[in-house]
């Protein structure tokens, strides 16, 4: 039973990675963009350890956190997501593994949403990447006022565990 779950998780990660590659193939010739920033509280992380105990392909961190339009301001939305281990640490890079991360940013009672996806290196001993280093992911689309959204998301983890999320949407 565990092998079936692990295979399904690996297949899901492969599907997410192929969606990212397809999305990255479309290059924009339009230089007009809109940038906005949201501030995320430190997320609540929950590990789903599939396969053998410890790090193995298919292990998934699920997470969620409130969003604010200014640091410490009123809650304006939520972020939900998952990080799936898709490449184990190697002899050349023994402290880094690659995870496919999908993020769902929701605003206006879930009517306005933005979906972002990317494969990034993470420390093999932690659920989150190091503070102060921005991680860039592709914006795959959105709903409501973000319908048709495309561009990129730069996520920076702050020293206190919160995140600064900078969206750059192409017009």
């Amino acid at each position: 039973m565990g092998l079936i779950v692990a295979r399904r998780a690996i297949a899901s990660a492969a599907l997410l990675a192929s969606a990212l590659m397809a999305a990255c193939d479309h290059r924009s010739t339009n230089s007009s963009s809109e940038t906005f920033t949201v501030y995320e509280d430190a997320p609540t992380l929950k590990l789903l350890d599939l396969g053998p105990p410890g790090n193995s392909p298919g292990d998934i961190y699920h997470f969620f956190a409130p969003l604010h339009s200014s640091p410490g301001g009123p809650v304006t939305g939520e972020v939900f997501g998952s990080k799936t281990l898709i490449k184990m640490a190697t002899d050349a890079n023994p402290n880094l593994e690659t995870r496919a991360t999908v993020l769902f940013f929701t605003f206006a009672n879930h009517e306005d949403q933005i979906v972002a996806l990317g494969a990034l290196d993470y420390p093999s001993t932690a659920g989150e990447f190091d503070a102060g280093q921005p991680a860039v992911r592709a914006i795959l689309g959105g709903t409501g006022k973000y319908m048709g959204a495309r561009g990129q998301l730069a996520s920076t983890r702050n020293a206190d565990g919160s995140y600064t999320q900078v969206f750059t949407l192409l017009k």
Side-chain angles (χ1 to χ4, degrees):
M1 183 69 166
L3 184 58
I4 292 171
V5 172
R7 286 185 178 160
R8 286 184 181 164
I10 292 169
S12 294
L15 179 62
L16 290 172
S18 65
L20 174 62
M21 286 186 274
C24 290
D25 191 43
H26 301 297
R27 293 182 179 89
S28 172
T29 57
N30 182 352
S31 62
S32 179
S33 64
E34 168 192 353
T35 300
F36 70 95
T37 302
V38 296
Y39 302 89
E40 174 188 331
D41 289 350
T44 299
L45 291 167
K46 196 70 155 172
L47 174 63
L48 177 58
D49 188 3
L50 301 172
N55 292 9
S56 61
D59 289 352
I60 304 169
Y61 281 96
H62 296 278
F63 59 91
F64 63 92
L67 301 172
H68 310 271
S69 58
S70 61
V75 172
T76 57
E78 293 179 279
V79 61
F80 305 89
S82 62
K83 299 179 240 187
T84 304
L85 177 55
I86 58 173
K87 181 182 174 194
M88 296 290 294
T90 63
D91 290 340
N93 257 329
N95 299 318
L96 293 178
E97 59 191 23
T98 305
R99 298 181 193 154
T101 303
V102 60
L103 300 115
F104 303 93
F105 292 88
T106 66
F107 307 94
N109 203 23
H110 297 269
E111 291 182 24
D112 299 329
Q113 297 186 24
I114 297 175
V115 178
L117 174 71
L120 301 168
D121 289 335
Y122 284 78
S124 56
T125 57
E128 298 177 89
F129 53 84
D130 293 334
Q133 302 296 317
V136 179
R137 298 180 180 94
I139 293 175
L140 299 182
T143 63
K145 78 179 197 177
Y146 301 112
M147 186 169 68
R150 59 194 178 101
Q152 70 180 27
L153 167 69
S155 303
T156 303
R157 185 168 179 255
N158 303 311
D160 66 357
S162 67
Y163 284 80
T164 301
Q165 306 282 9
V166 179
F167 295 85
T168 303
L169 302 178
L170 300 177
K171 293 183 177 184

